[in-house]
């Protein structure tokens, strides 16, 4: 019988799109944390680490990312070619993930600001970007996509999809993106036009999301007509 390690090794060597250095492991703490360590040790641009299980999967702001072993796509991508606006890399991964979900499972998710993927209004995927911006900048973009399992209220691609097929489609879609993804990001951002609540460390703002600016900030006009621009924050789409 094939052992889990042998299975991971053969998956690492399956035919991945050219130019990506993909490793598959059975279990780790967090693929993002691992790639930040690998980056410090000289891992090349476009190193990709996939885990079938994370024991310490991370969300933003030290929140947790949950997924039972083997059910979902849990992957991080390391970039050494970093644009002036590093958040563009996160947008690119989000757009590639949308295209991959559509190609592999049929449904087309939308983006919720800043970078969640929603399917049928439910959170299908989350993205965590971490950067070391110095003379040799590195950005690690991690994404978890619910393929076979989602928490209560979460979105799900559905059984019958292999998380590694979804990854192959994501890398292919990434390569097919135009150099400038601004228009595509804006067009796929389902938050625009929605009534939203923006949760901030010191309170909340309720209003309508009007637009997103080229630097990634979300423009919200509150119920008193005051315009706010948010660089960070958690957004809830209100009914
Ligand atoms: C995120 O954070 O959405 C970023 C998640 C990034 C996960 C990937 S997996 C590969 C890589 N390695 C890592 O260690 N992380 C990245 P945030 O917006 O903070 O959302 C986290 C919140 O989403 C949690 O507090 C839960 O409420 C919820 N959540 C947790 N697991 C979920 C899941 N599988 N599906 C939907 N929601 C989930």
């Amino acid at each position: 019988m094939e052992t889990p390690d042998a299975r991971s090794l053969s998956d690492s060597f399956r035919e991945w799109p050219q130019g990506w250095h993909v490793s598959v492991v059975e279990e780790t703490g967090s693929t993002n944390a691992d790639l930040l360590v690998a980056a410090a040790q000289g891992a090349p641009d476009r190193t990709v680490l996939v885990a079938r299980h994370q024991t310490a999967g991370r969300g933003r702001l030290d929140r947790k990312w949950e997924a039972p072993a083997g059910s979902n796509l849990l992957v991080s991508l390391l970039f050494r070619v970093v644009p002036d606006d590093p958040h563009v890399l996160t947008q690119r991964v989000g757009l590639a993930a949308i295209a991959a979900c559509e190609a592999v499972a049929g449904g087309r998710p939308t983006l919720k600001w800043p970078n969640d993927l929603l399917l049928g209004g439910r959170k299908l995927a989350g993205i965590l970007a971490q950067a070391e911006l110095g003379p040799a900048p590195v950005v690690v973009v991690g994404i978890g996509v619910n393929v076979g399992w989602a928490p209560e209220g979460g979105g799900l691609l559905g059984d019958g999809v292999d998380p590694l097929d979804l990854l192959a489609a994501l890398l292919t879609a990434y390569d097919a993106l135009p150099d400038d993804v601004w228009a595509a990001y804006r067009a796929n951002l389902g938050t625009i036009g929605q009534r939203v609540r923006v949760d901030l460390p010191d309170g909340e703002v309720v209003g309508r999301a009007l637009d997103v600016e080229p630097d990634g900030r979300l423009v919200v006009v509150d119920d008193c007509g005051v315009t706010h621009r948010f660089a960070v924050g958690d957004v809830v789409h209100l009914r």
Side-chain angles (χ1 to χ4, degrees):
M1 202 179 79
E2 204 184 22
T3 64
D5 284 350
R7 184 176 63 168
S8 295
L9 202 60
S10 67
D11 281 332
S12 296
F13 285 103
R14 77 184 242 172
E15 281 224 0
W16 295 103
Q18 245 190 346
W20 298 93
H21 313 286
V22 181
S23 299
V24 183
V25 297
E26 284 300 310
E27 182 175 295
T28 190
S30 154
T31 54
N32 263 41
D34 288 355
L35 274 198
L36 286 168
V37 171
Q41 295 169 347
D45 182 43
R46 294 189 167 215
T47 297
V48 176
L49 180 64
V50 196
R52 292 186 204 279
H53 185 223
Q54 291 185 131
T55 53
R58 290 194 47 194
R60 296 176 301 139
L61 305 171
D62 288 331
R63 291 187 287 234
K64 289 193 168 63
W65 188 256
E66 315 274 357
S71 37
N72 291 349
L73 176 61
L74 306 165
V75 63
S76 300
L77 297 81
L78 182 161
F79 297 100
R80 288 194 182 275
V81 181
V82 177
D84 292 342
D85 277 333
H87 69 267
V88 168
L89 290 170
T90 317
Q91 296 175 353
R92 295 181 77 85
V93 171
L95 290 169
I98 288 177
C101 290
E102 193 173 27
V104 170
R108 187 172 175 88
T110 55
L111 289 170
K112 177 167 87 74
W113 187 88
N115 289 300
D116 284 349
L117 267 65
L118 302 185
L119 191 62
R122 294 163 179 247
K123 182 158 171 166
L124 173 75
I127 299 182
L128 172 68
Q130 295 177 277
E132 299 282 351
L133 298 176
V138 171
V139 173
V140 170
V141 183
I143 179 166
V145 185
N146 299 331
V147 175
W149 177 90
E152 181 87 33
L156 187 68
L157 277 190
D159 282 338
V161 174
D162 179 342
L164 295 186
D165 289 343
L166 183 65
L167 174 61
L170 190 157
L171 300 179
T172 302
Y174 191 99
D175 288 334
L177 289 170
D179 287 344
D180 185 348
V181 294
W182 169 242
Y185 176 72
R186 198 159 167 260
N188 283 278
L189 191 62
T191 304
I192 295 176
Q194 296 267 349
R195 190 164 165 75
V196 295
R197 189 183 76 226
V198 184
D199 293 330
L200 303 161
D202 55 350
E204 63 179 42
V205 170
V206 174
R208 187 156 302 278
L210 276 198
D211 207 347
V212 63
E213 302 211 318
D215 64 5
R217 286 185 304 170
L218 184 70
V219 184
V220 175
V221 176
D222 72 20
D223 292 344
C224 301
V226 178
T227 301
H228 305 257
R229 288 179 170 78
F230 298 104
V232 290
D234 279 313
V235 165
V236 178
H237 290 178
L238 302 172
R239 301 271 160 203

